[in-house]
Amino acid sequence: GENVEQHPSTLSVQEGDSAVIKCTYSDSASNYFPWYKQELGKRPQLIIDIRSNVGEKKDQRIAVTLNKTAKHFSLHITETQPEDSAVYFCAEYSGAGSYQLTFGKGTKLSVIP
Amino acid sequence: EAGVAQSPRYKIIEKRQSVAFWCNPISGHATLYWYQQILGQGPKLLIQFQNNGVVDDSQLPKDRFSAERLKGVDSTLKIQPAKLEDSAVYLCASSQGPKMGNEQFFGPGTRLTVL
């Protein structure tokens, strides 16, 4: 079945530094990879996504890269700010029948002022 | 646009008791999902509805969990009887459709504590 490995589980960075979170997946049929941000006690919210026909996507300080050959994708946050502190989840979407998202276990990002 | 609504927000019960959660998706969203999020983990899909039909319930513990979406709008998730390991946040999400690229919008969740 589908499986998403996410690393690291926790990440602390100084304000202004960059943060990188990596995920690997096993289902070669996966074709859509969203990233969700979940602040403490709040609902997950989509922050960026990438489709399998694209290698990189950027939105202001956030970027996502995808390597389909190696089956991994990464979230990059530049110029981190304290409000970036949250748990970030990667997910994979397999359209091969089940049409469902499988989430990674999450990365708790702490941005130190 | 109103978001996904869930109630109650918090529930504390003893093991072997029953509990029900309610979800009202975003208006017009045909697809509704129930996820279980155990502390420190990512959401895990329990069941997915397309209108009032079940698309996927392969990860739903059917001996104790049940869900319905009778009129294709609101949905309820029930646990009967509850076990200690059911303590988690139960998230409801909805999307316009089931296919790739249709963003899933999450509700605030119901935090269940089973004592």
Side-chain angles (χ1 to χ4, degrees), chain A residues 57-68:
Chain A
K57 184 177 178 180
K58 192 171 183 180
D59 182 4
Q60 299 183 342
R61 297 186 296 108
I62 296 173
V64 58
T65 59
L66 171 65
N67 183 327
K68 281 216 73 176

Side-chain angles (χ1 to χ4, degrees), chain B residues 9-57:
Chain B
R9 293 294 312 279
Y10 305 91
K11 190 72 177 179
I12 300 174
I13 62 173
E14 295 189 348
K15 60 183 179 183
R16 291 187 289 274
Q17 286 188 321
S18 301
V19 65
F21 312 128
W22 173 82
C23 173
N24 181 236
I26 292 173
S27 178
H29 280 193
T31 310
L32 185 146
Y33 313 80
W34 282 102
Y35 288 89
Q36 180 192 59
Q37 187 175 23
I38 293 173
L39 186 64
Q41 296 185 21
K44 184 185 89 171
L45 181 70
L46 293 175
I47 189 167
Q48 177 180 341
F49 290 95
Q50 180 66 17
N51 296 309
N52 61 349
V54 175
V55 174
D56 189 328
D57 63 357

Side-chain angles (χ1 to χ4, degrees), chain A residues 32 38 43 89 93 99-100, chain B residues 37 56 98-100 106-107:
Chain A
Y32 173 66
Q38 187 174 30
R43 70 193 76 190
F89 293 97
Y93 179 95
Y99 296 116
Q100 64 173 257
Chain B
Q37 187 175 23
D56 189 328
K99 294 189 176 181
M100 179 184 76
F106 284 84

Side-chain angles (χ1 to χ4, degrees), chain A residues 22 25-26 33 39 54 73 90:
Chain A
K22 299 180 179 180
Y25 62 98
S26 57
F33 306 90
E39 297 178 24
V54 176
F73 56 111
C90 64

